[in-house]
Amino acid sequence: MTVILAPTPVTVADAPQLPFLVRFRLKGTPWIPILILLLIIVAAMGGESIAPHDPNGLDLGAAFRPPFWQAGGSYDYLLGTDNLGRDVLSRIIAGARVSAIVVLYAIGFSGAIGTMLGIMAGYFGGIVDMIIVRITEIMMAIPTLALALIFTATMDPGLSTVIIVIVLTYWTWYARIIRSEILSLRERDYVAFAKVAGCGPVTIFLRHLVPNIFNTLVVLMTLQVGQVIIFEASLSFLGVGIQPPDTSWGLMLADARQYITYAWWGITMPGIAIILTCLSSNLIGDWLRDLLDPKRRQL
Amino acid sequence: MRIVFAKGLLNALISMLGASLIIFIMSRLSGDPLSLLLPMDAPQSAVQAMRHELGLDRPMWDQYLIFLWKAVQGDFGRSYRWQMPAIELVFERLPATIYLAMAAFAFSLALAIPLGVLSAVRRGSWIDQIARIIAMLGQAVPSFWVGLLLILVFAVNLQWLPAFGADGVQHVILPAIALGWYPVAAQTRVIRSGMLEVLDSDYIRMGRAVGTPERLLIWKYAFRNALLPLVTIMGVYFAYMLSGSFVVETVFAWPGLGRTVVEAVFARDYPVVQAGVLITSILFVLSNFLVDLSYSIIDPRIRL
């Protein structure tokens, strides 16, 4: 007697996922944004050592020099100087470092906290879910900048306060999206099997859930870069973010604002740095989303 | 319907309570508010008396309930700087902020509706490309930088419009553009995808088949239905306007709530900061509640 086994239908979803790098297609890769972002990363890593001038070096004799292509400008100061004769390009390079630090820490922590809570809410459900969802709703009831202002009103402003504020406001974003992802993942058979096989929650989280939300996380984090940079710039612009003698793009804009009538480059150059960084990371994020996570095209 | 309303209201109330708790905790992180109220060399007995009078010697939980009870009655304490009750100052400045937010909203819709509709009707045309570029830039350009650039071009170089103050209609134009800039992207996208969906439906094809004029078809039959998704994001963008007003009002020296709160932060004028942030949060929660409610009225298929 022969037993005829029904052929197991193979669907696309069952096909083994190729590793991240193999699936990297060259076609449609946003090379220009990648190049811009790489340049900014190099600037951030090099910092003062690659800046043509000391970003805090005062030289009142060289104040308000225009960029090199304008009359009165020189190749010494490619993007001109500010009211105290500090080189705008060097300050942009120094500001890239601050932005990079804020982005790394803020996204790292808010991503980790939000993901953890999102997994817990989605996986355990019930009262845990209710509490976490309620907290995210409450956090979202306070406009982000208002939350940041009340926080900086009571803490000393500075780099670490900026990072804490961003983490406090952005973890909810991860928590909500990861939670909804987990809600569908936890119903999958392999999670049920793992549970039956006696795996504890930690094993299930790390071995079965985290790998499945990895793509979503990468996309979310890339898309958050631009938002964090704008948020940091806004705080610094208001004077509650990065404090002198540190420099940041938002702070440069705040300084240059008073001299807007004499020096147009003072407000345009740092702004262009912000826009290029945000635009590049958003475009890369969109591309990654299409590449890794076709379900989320509407995100 | 009544249940929907009650449920939404309960949620809104819980959110407001939570927001007040967070604001309370955050403003107590600073340590002792007494150091601001008393001179440095005040005798110990005076410190104790003041502490008792303000209720600072009670447990935190008690203090929060007192804060909440007073807040419900509108008592946030007096502004150190303006010598008036903080809540009065907040309500005095609020209308200017709402006026600016409305103007910004009008600007963003005036740009987003034609862009969204036309880019859906003429898919792939140059207007679709422009809409795409605006959507891309909208999320990458900070509103305060738009403000600075507008001042540079229209106030400093061309001298068409004033950069500061709030005396007349011409003063609201630049801040409204700066504040309304960001939502244009999302609104255009929502209108475009809504239009695409509606234009594809049977009744539009039917209308086209019986020879209804294209203009009537687009603006009367399709556009009205495409407006629905726009309502859902209205609440989000009203909230964004409240948040964005902190920066934009500072750039343009607009005499609204946002700038008042920012100034209060620097003056360490805590009652004003607390009152301003709490009122902003309440407005935020209420607007979301109203949007949810109106959505379930407009579209009975959606339930809260």
Side-chain angles (χ1 to χ4, degrees), chain A residues 134 138-143 145 149-151 153-154 168 234 237-238 253 257 260 267-268 271 275 279 283, chain B residues 11 14 18-19 22-23 26-27 30 136 139-140 144-145 148 152 243 246-247 250-251 266 268 270 281 284-285:
Chain A
R134 185 56 77 189
I138 289 170
M139 291 305 284
M140 289 192 313
I142 307 178
L145 217 54
L149 280 174
I150 199 153
F151 193 71
T154 54
L168 273 177
S234 307
F237 178 75
L238 288 177
L253 288 173
R257 190 185 148 209
I260 195 169
I267 63 149
T268 35
I275 294 170
L279 211 53
L283 287 171
Chain B
N11 270 336
I14 294 175
I22 289 171
I23 290 167
M26 289 216 167
S27 45
S30 58
M136 218 162 61
Q139 287 168 336
F144 62 95
W145 193 70
L148 290 174
L152 181 66
S243 202
F246 291 108
V247 203
T250 305
V251 173
F266 285 110
R268 307 246 149 196
Y270 295 122
S281 306
F284 190 8
V285 173

Side-chain angles (χ1 to χ4, degrees), chain A residues 167-249:
Chain A
V167 172
L168 273 177
T169 48
Y170 276 101
W171 69 268
T172 55
W173 201 53
Y174 289 93
R176 270 181 316 136
I177 293 173
I178 297 298
R179 172 181 171 271
S180 64
E181 198 105 315
I182 296 293
L183 279 181
S184 80
L185 280 178
R186 72 163 184 194
E187 303 301 331
R188 301 283 169 88
D189 289 341
Y190 57 81
V191 176
F193 286 148
K195 227 185 278 180
V196 172
C199 293
V202 177
T203 318
I204 293 179
F205 285 2
L206 292 181
R207 292 204 54 135
H208 302 287
L209 297 179
V210 172
N212 277 298
I213 53 169
F214 186 74
N215 286 352
T216 308
L217 261 182
V218 170
V219 173
L220 285 181
M221 286 180 161
T222 326
L223 289 175
Q224 204 200 340
V225 171
Q227 293 182 23
V228 167
I229 285 177
I230 289 183
F231 201 57
E232 182 272 317
S234 307
L235 288 178
S236 299
F237 178 75
L238 288 177
V240 295
I242 307 298
Q243 302 293 312
D246 284 345
T247 185
S248 104
W249 296 337

Side-chain angles (χ1 to χ4, degrees), chain B:
Chain B
M1 193 63 223
R2 210 171 283 166
I3 296 172
V4 172
F5 181 80
K7 232 172 153 183
L9 194 65
L10 186 71
N11 270 336
L13 277 176
I14 294 175
S15 290
M16 286 181 207
L17 261 181
S20 74
L21 181 62
I22 289 171
I23 290 167
F24 173 79
I25 293 172
M26 289 216 167
S27 45
R28 283 291 183 277
L29 285 177
S30 58
D32 208 340
L34 280 185
S35 54
L36 281 167
L37 296 173
L38 285 173
M40 292 271 269
D41 52 356
Q44 199 57 36
S45 59
V47 175
Q48 287 302 334
M50 188 87 171
R51 189 178 293 276
H52 185 71
E53 195 191 324
L54 292 175
L56 293 172
D57 52 353
R58 299 184 197 207
M60 274 301 227
W61 194 240
D62 243 20
Q63 288 187 41
Y64 169 65
L65 290 179
I66 294 170
F67 166 78
L68 191 64
W69 178 239
K70 283 188 168 172
V72 169
Q73 295 168 314
D75 179 7
F76 287 90
R78 290 177 75 81
S79 159
Y80 309 144
R81 186 159 165 249
W82 298 87
Q83 295 304 322
M84 64 193 286
I87 194 79
E88 275 180 30
L89 183 69
V90 167
F91 281 123
E92 192 186 293
R93 301 295 170 89
L94 190 58
T97 295
I98 292 182
Y99 172 52
L100 176 59
M102 304 272 246
F105 221 84
F107 164 76
S108 67
L109 285 180
L111 204 61
I113 289 176
L115 263 179
V117 171
L118 290 178
S119 65
V121 174
R122 303 205 189 116
R123 245 171 117 176
S125 69
W126 58 272
I127 206 153
D128 200 12
Q129 294 299 325
I130 289 178
R132 188 171 298 166
I133 291 170
I134 286 183
M136 218 162 61
L137 284 178
Q139 287 168 336
V141 185
S143 55
F144 62 95
W145 193 70
V146 175
L148 290 174
L149 215 58
L150 288 171
I151 291 178
L152 181 66
V153 174
F154 293 102
V156 176
N157 285 340
L158 297 173
Q159 305 205 328
W160 286 354
L161 290 163
F164 304 111
D167 288 331
V169 181
Q170 74 272 24
H171 282 94
V172 80
I173 297 175
L174 294 184
I177 295 175
L179 191 57
W181 161 255
Y182 178 76
V184 169
Q187 285 168 353
T188 306
R189 221 169 34 214
V190 167
I191 295 172
R192 182 178 182 271
S193 63
M195 279 299 282
L196 283 178
E197 199 177 305
V198 175
L199 284 175
D200 203 35
S201 62
D202 289 341
Y203 70 88
I204 294 292
R205 261 186 244 145
M206 177 69 191
R208 204 168 270 152
V210 301
T212 316
E214 194 69 8
R215 180 186 283 185
L216 205 66
L217 214 56
I218 291 168
W219 292 103
K220 190 171 172 199
Y221 299 110
F223 177 62
R224 282 194 189 173
N225 281 301
L227 265 182
L228 202 63
L230 193 64
V231 176
T232 38
I233 64 162
M234 291 277 236
V236 177
Y237 284 101
F238 181 68
Y240 154 78
M241 301 270 185
L242 288 174
S243 202
S245 67
F246 291 108
V247 203
V248 172
E249 284 181 10
T250 305
V251 173
F252 288 97
W254 183 261
L257 182 58
R259 191 171 68 125
T260 307
V261 171
V262 171
E263 283 174 354
V265 167
F266 285 110
R268 307 246 149 196
D269 199 349
Y270 295 122
V272 177
V273 179
Q274 285 178 354
V277 173
L278 193 61
I279 295 295
T280 315
S281 306
I282 288 174
L283 282 176
F284 190 8
V285 173
L286 278 182
S287 71
N288 276 331
F289 169 58
L290 289 178
V291 165
D292 283 352
L293 204 64
S294 67
Y295 198 58
S296 68
I297 292 171
I298 298 171
D299 188 350
R301 285 168 298 183
I302 307 293
R303 285 278 165 253
L304 282 183

Side-chain angles (χ1 to χ4, degrees), chain A residues 25 34 78-79 89 110 116 214 223 277:
Chain A
R25 283 170 299 171
I34 289 177
L78 286 178
L79 299 181
L89 178 63
S110 60
M116 264 293 290
F214 186 74
L223 289 175
T277 316

